[in-house]
């Protein structure tokens, strides 16, 4: 396979900002086509790209090797199922699906039809998260006692995207923002033994969840995942405390902001945070208190597509497996159930 012909299922922010720039820039991929039912935005940005008017037309094109399902959450199951049945490899935007049952169906189908299925949990390659991961790998904090992750914003107004504010399955900040930090928590600590959650909506006229406080219970420590649309002065995005010290880190990955400005991946200083955003590492060593800035790792979303290429061409491991992404959905489901029943739920 000379190039992996890739087609996007939409060209909104996800397609324009998070997928097309990496696919277009990566030497192993060809940004072949996009599904746009009436507009021609992709063609204006990428002259020569093929425009499909229906999903069926896209899937019928034998030249398409990889389909990126980057449509509203509620459509992920249907679009992904059809792509698998058409014999295409698939990358699905997070959240993988609305329910874990849907996820299990898709995993079985992908195995049956011998196609690759991955989920775009790109925040694993945020500079701030990579830095937290490195600090934990160094084991300077001792045994972890508590961690708290935030994905906060200050956005009192409702989204102009109607589907994001309509109270249907798969809608709300726990699915959208929560998917990121749930996945990160699982990557660092594994699956918790139980979950307790408070979900709410504070924006005027909001009908969906825009606030969450999810507690993950592990055998020897606790993890809190929080998000609010009313945080004007942000707290540290990551706070990790152990028996020997603490690490605090802001949310400062620059990749999304760079992409929104039209800066292409792999340019000079790509993913390099400002030095002033370095986290604080404060720990005990040999009876001495050490407080220092921790150098920030470099963010790199291209690593996701690097590994997708290797998986398709060389049968190497996927960057994010469907099984891993299903664990995120199971925690979201458990959080909703915990909120409804107002009790801790075991997984």
């Amino acid at each position: 396979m000379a190039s992996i012909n890739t087609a996007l299922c939409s060209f909104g922010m996800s397609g324009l900002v998070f997928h097309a720039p990496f696919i277009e820039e990566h030497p192993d991929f060809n940004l072949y086509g996009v599904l746009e039912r009436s507009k021609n935005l992709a063609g204006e940005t990428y002259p020569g790209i093929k425009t499909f008017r229906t999903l069926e037309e896209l899937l019928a094109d034998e030249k398409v090797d990889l389909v990126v399902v980057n449509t509203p959450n509620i459509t992920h199951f249907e679009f992904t199922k059809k792509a698998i049945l058409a014999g295409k490899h698939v990358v699905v935007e997070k959240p993988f699906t609305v329910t874990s049952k849907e996820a299990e169906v898709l995993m079985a189908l992908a195995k049956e039809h011998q196609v690759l299925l991955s989920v775009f949990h790109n925040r694993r390659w945020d500079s701030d998260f990579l830095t937290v991961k490195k600090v934990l790998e160094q084991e300077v904090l001792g045994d972890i006692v508590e961690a708290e992750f935030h994905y906060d914003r200050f956005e009192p107004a409702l989204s102009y995207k109607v589907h994001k504010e309509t109270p249907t399955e798969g809608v709300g900040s726990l699915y959208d923002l929560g998917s990121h930090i749930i996945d990160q928590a699982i990557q660092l600590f594994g699956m918790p033994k139980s979950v307790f959650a408070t979900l709410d909506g504070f924006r005027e006229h909001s009908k969906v969840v825009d606030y969450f406080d999810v507690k993950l219970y592990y055998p020897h420590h606790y993890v809190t995942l929080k998000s609010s649309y009313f945080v004007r002065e942000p707290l540290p995005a990551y706070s990790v405390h152990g028996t020997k010290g603490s690490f605090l880190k802001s949310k400062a990955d620059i990749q999304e902001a760079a992409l929104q400005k039209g800066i292409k991946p792999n340019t000079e200083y790509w993913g390099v945070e400002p030095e002033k955003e370095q986290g604080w590492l404060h720990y005990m060593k040999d009876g001495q208190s050490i407080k220092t800035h921790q150098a920030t790792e470099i963010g790199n979303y291209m690593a996701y597509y690097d590994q997708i290429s290797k998986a398709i061409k060389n049968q190497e491991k996927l960057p994010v497996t469907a099984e891993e992404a299903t664990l995120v959905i199971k925690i979201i489901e458990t959080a909703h159930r915990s909120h409804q029943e107002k009790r801790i739920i075991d997984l």
Side-chain angles (χ1 to χ4, degrees):
M1 185 185 297
S3 272
I4 301 168
N5 284 334
T6 305
L8 307 176
C9 286
S10 75
F11 201 68
M13 178 177 175
S14 171
L16 175 64
V17 173
F18 288 110
H19 292 283
F22 296 95
I23 296 165
E24 193 266 343
E25 187 73 16
H26 200 293
D28 291 346
F29 291 87
N30 174 36
L31 186 57
Y32 177 79
V34 64
L35 172 58
E36 290 190 271
R37 298 191 186 280
S38 58
K39 299 179 181 179
N40 297 290
L41 299 177
E44 295 171 7
T45 308
Y46 299 101
I49 195 171
K50 188 170 183 177
T51 299
F52 300 100
R53 295 306 185 192
T54 67
L55 178 63
E56 289 68 27
E57 181 188 356
L58 184 158
L59 297 178
D61 191 324
E62 295 182 356
K63 292 183 179 180
V64 173
D65 304 305
L66 173 67
V67 174
V68 178
V69 176
N70 57 327
T71 49
N73 301 347
I74 194 68
T75 68
H76 286 187
F77 176 74
E78 176 191 358
F79 277 50
T80 303
K81 181 179 179 180
K82 288 181 177 180
I84 291 171
L85 293 176
K88 312 297 186 184
H89 301 303
V90 186
V91 165
V92 190
E93 255 293 353
K94 63 82 211 162
F96 181 17
T97 52
V98 171
T99 70
S100 56
K101 288 184 179 179
E102 289 178 343
E104 289 162 1
V105 169
L106 294 179
M107 286 189 288
L109 279 175
K111 184 176 181 180
E112 178 185 349
H113 291 267
Q114 298 183 326
V115 297
L116 298 181
L117 176 60
S118 181
V119 180
F120 192 63
H121 277 293
N122 62 308
R123 298 294 178 178
R124 292 187 188 183
W125 291 274
D126 274 357
S127 54
D128 35 45
F129 173 70
L130 290 172
T131 306
V132 174
K133 184 178 179 182
K134 182 173 182 178
V135 168
L136 290 177
E137 289 171 349
Q138 293 171 344
E139 299 183 344
V140 295
L141 302 182
D143 297 328
I144 302 304
V145 174
E146 179 183 15
E148 185 165 314
F149 297 173
H150 282 250
Y151 202 142
D152 297 320
R153 293 175 170 174
F154 188 78
E155 294 182 1
L158 301 183
S159 172
Y160 69 92
K161 298 178 180 179
V162 176
H163 71 270
K164 286 184 172 288
E165 301 294 352
T166 303
T168 53
E169 287 187 306
V171 172
S173 62
L174 185 59
Y175 274 95
D176 286 339
L177 303 181
S179 291
H180 291 307
I181 53 178
I182 291 171
D183 179 68
Q184 290 179 346
I186 294 172
Q187 288 302 297
L188 295 178
F189 305 114
M191 282 293 278
K193 62 185 180 68
S194 52
V195 175
F196 180 77
T198 299
L199 312 178
D200 214 327
F202 288 107
R203 294 169 302 156
E204 187 176 8
H205 305 305
S206 177
K207 297 180 181 179
V208 302
V209 170
D210 59 32
Y211 170 93
F212 63 79
D213 183 339
V214 178
K215 310 289 187 184
L216 306 182
Y217 296 82
Y218 291 84
H220 303 293
H221 70 278
Y222 303 94
V223 175
T224 299
L225 309 176
K226 296 189 69 174
S227 177
S228 170
Y229 281 14
F230 287 97
V231 179
R232 190 69 170 185
E233 188 64 33
L235 296 165
Y238 301 90
S239 303
V240 185
H241 307 286
T243 54
K244 293 182 179 179
S246 299
F247 180 62
L248 306 180
K249 178 69 181 74
S250 62
K251 184 173 182 58
D253 184 273
I254 67 168
Q255 293 178 91
E256 180 175 347
L259 291 163
Q260 288 177 330
K261 293 176 183 176
I263 300 173
K264 291 187 176 183
N266 293 339
T267 53
E268 189 176 13
Y269 304 118
W270 180 264
V272 178
E273 281 189 17
E275 188 173 343
K276 64 183 178 63
E277 297 293 349
Q278 290 183 348
W280 276 108
L281 181 59
H282 192 178
Y283 63 102
M284 299 295 295
K285 183 178 181 180
D286 300 327
Q288 299 295 315
S289 176
I290 301 172
K291 186 175 183 180
T292 181
H293 280 110
Q294 173 70 29
T296 306
E297 298 296 294
I298 297 174
N300 183 22
Y301 296 159
M302 187 66 87
Y304 178 88
Y305 275 106
D306 283 340
Q307 199 58 42
I308 287 290
S309 172
K310 292 175 183 177
I312 292 175
K313 290 190 169 187
N314 305 322
Q315 293 77 54
E316 295 188 24
K317 66 179 183 178
L318 289 164
V320 180
T321 66
E323 288 80 4
E324 291 171 331
T326 301
L327 297 179
V328 174
I329 304 305
K330 287 183 176 179
I331 289 182
I332 290 174
E333 289 177 322
T334 306
H336 276 281
R337 183 181 162 200
S338 169
H339 174 73
Q340 292 166 355
E341 299 180 13
K342 301 189 185 316
R343 66 184 183 92
I344 298 172
I345 304 288
D346 291 334
L347 286 164

